């Protein structure tokens, strides 16, 4: 159902069973799939590419123009996957250049007033809390959580299954499976409750905890800590993910 009080550009492509409420705005160069719900006063701007089963609440803006001095006006994309909830007044900004796009995966919950800047990548089943901001080129990996009013600096990464406590800000990468807290931000603990809910075994969680004790508490260099992790902890995809994340960090990890 498309309300006659909504604006839908004639060139926009809408799938089956899409509901567009009064006063919503759907621009040209927009493509959305099936079973989406666009609430009143939501805006899907040029460059929106949306999958199926999403709900966009009042005042949210998808594919806003990049706030980046490198943007030259070219047609760029904000790509939204399936089954996402985008709450009131959230803003998702499209990519700066045509060779890279802002990307949001599947099953994410983007809360009121959150802001995803240009060229941000959010994985699957993440939570972006009320008022949290991800600056340009930030990466949030699968199942990660930014709680309320977190400021994530540009080009930083938040690892899978990690959570950042409310009001924190960070300018370095946060590795997988941990809780980050305090000001200045630092490693706080393993994200045990979430890991248990994800079905990880008690043994695996102990191995992850041991890896982070070596990385953060062993009073050794990061290089030597990774050697110890390889030597002392049984190999698993999760341990390999920690090692790979730390080794590929361009900005360094929080301490």
């Amino acid at each position: 159902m498309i309300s006659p009080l909504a604006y839908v550009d004639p060139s926009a492509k809408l799938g089956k069973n899409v509901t567009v409420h009064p006063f919503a705005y759907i621009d040209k160069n927009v493509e959305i799939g099936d079973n989406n719900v666009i609430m009143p006063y939501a805006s899907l701007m040029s460059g929106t590419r949306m999958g199926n089963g999403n709900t966009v609440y009042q005042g949210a803006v998808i594919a806003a123009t990049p706030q980046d001095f490198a943007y030259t006006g070219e047609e760029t994309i904000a790509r939204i996957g399936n089954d996402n909830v985008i709450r009131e007044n959230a803003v998702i900004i499209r990519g700066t250049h045509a060779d890279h796009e802002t990307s949001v995966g599947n099953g994410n919950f983007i809360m009121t007033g959150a802001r995803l800047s240009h060229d941000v990548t959010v994985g699957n089943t993440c939570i972006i809390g009320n008022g949290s901001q991800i600056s340009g080129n930030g990466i949030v990996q699968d199942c990660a959580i930014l709680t309320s009013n977190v400021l994530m600096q540009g080009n930083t990464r938040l690892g899978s299954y990690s959570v950042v406590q409310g009001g924190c800000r960070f300018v370095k990468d946060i590795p997988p499976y941990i809780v980050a807290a305090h000001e200045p931000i630092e490693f706080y603990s393993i994200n045990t409750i979430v890991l248990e809910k994800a079905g990880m075994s008690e043994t695996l969680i102990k191995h992850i905890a041991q890896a982070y004790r070596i990385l953060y508490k062993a009073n050794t260099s990061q290089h030597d800590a990774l050697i110890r992790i390889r030597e002392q902890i049984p190999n698993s995809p999760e341990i390999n993910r920690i090692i790979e994340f730390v080794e590929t960090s361009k900005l360094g990890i929080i301490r």
Side-chain angles (χ1 to χ4, degrees):
M1 181 198 76
I2 300 176
S3 170
L5 297 177
Y7 175 81
V8 180
D9 189 275
S11 68
K13 299 178 181 179
L14 278 63
K16 300 176 182 178
N17 194 34
V18 173
T19 300
V20 182
H21 285 272
F23 311 114
Y25 179 88
I26 298 180
D27 203 354
K28 65 181 187 302
N29 188 26
V30 168
E31 299 177 12
I32 68 175
D34 302 336
N35 303 308
N36 292 292
V37 178
I38 313 302
M39 294 289 193
Y41 301 104
S43 298
L44 276 57
M45 309 303 294
S46 176
T48 299
R49 301 290 185 269
M50 184 177 289
N52 305 319
N54 300 283
T55 303
V56 182
Y57 279 78
Q58 290 91 332
V61 180
I62 311 298
T65 302
Q67 299 181 51
D68 183 351
F69 292 121
Y71 178 65
T72 59
E74 60 190 299
E75 295 287 350
T76 58
I77 300 298
R79 191 175 304 277
I80 313 298
N82 305 319
D83 303 315
N84 297 285
V85 175
I86 302 171
R87 291 303 301 258
E88 296 84 355
N89 301 313
V91 177
I92 300 175
I93 296 173
R94 65 182 187 263
T96 294
H97 299 296
D99 61 351
H100 196 273
E101 60 190 31
T102 299
S103 175
V104 175
N106 304 320
N108 298 289
F109 190 15
I110 299 174
M111 294 186 181
T112 300
R115 178 180 177 275
L116 281 59
S117 193
H118 63 88
D119 304 294
V120 159
T121 300
V122 175
N124 303 310
T125 325
C126 299
I127 298 173
I128 311 300
N130 297 320
S132 288
Q133 300 189 35
I134 307 174
S135 297
N137 298 289
I139 297 174
V140 178
Q141 297 181 347
D142 293 349
C143 305
I145 301 172
L146 295 174
T147 58
S148 296
N149 298 311
V150 174
L151 299 179
M152 182 171 173
Q153 181 72 13
N155 301 297
T156 54
R157 299 181 298 164
L158 175 61
S160 299
Y161 293 97
S162 281
V163 59
V164 183
Q165 291 191 348
C168 289
R169 55 184 177 176
F170 59 99
V171 298
K172 293 187 175 183
D173 293 344
I174 295 178
Y177 313 123
I178 73 169
V179 177
H182 302 147
E183 178 60 40
I185 196 167
E186 61 183 358
F187 169 82
Y188 179 73
S189 69
I190 304 303
N191 198 11
T192 305
I193 295 175
V194 169
L195 299 185
E196 290 174 346
K197 289 182 177 179
M200 294 188 187
S201 68
E202 181 178 351
T203 298
L204 178 56
I205 293 173
K206 286 181 178 179
H207 289 165
I208 292 170
Q210 183 181 357
Y212 280 112
R213 279 195 295 272
I214 294 171
L215 188 60
Y216 281 110
K217 306 295 183 181
N219 195 28
T220 188
S221 70
Q222 181 174 291
H223 174 76
D224 288 345
L226 294 178
I227 292 174
R228 291 189 189 183
I229 290 170
R230 286 190 172 98
E231 292 176 346
Q232 298 177 17
I233 301 176
N235 188 44
S236 68
E238 290 76 14
I239 297 301
N240 287 336
R241 179 178 287 173
I242 295 169
I243 294 170
E244 187 272 339
F245 188 99
V246 174
E247 287 184 331
T248 59
S249 176
K250 297 178 180 179
L251 299 176
I253 62 171
I254 64 166
R255 303 306 299 176

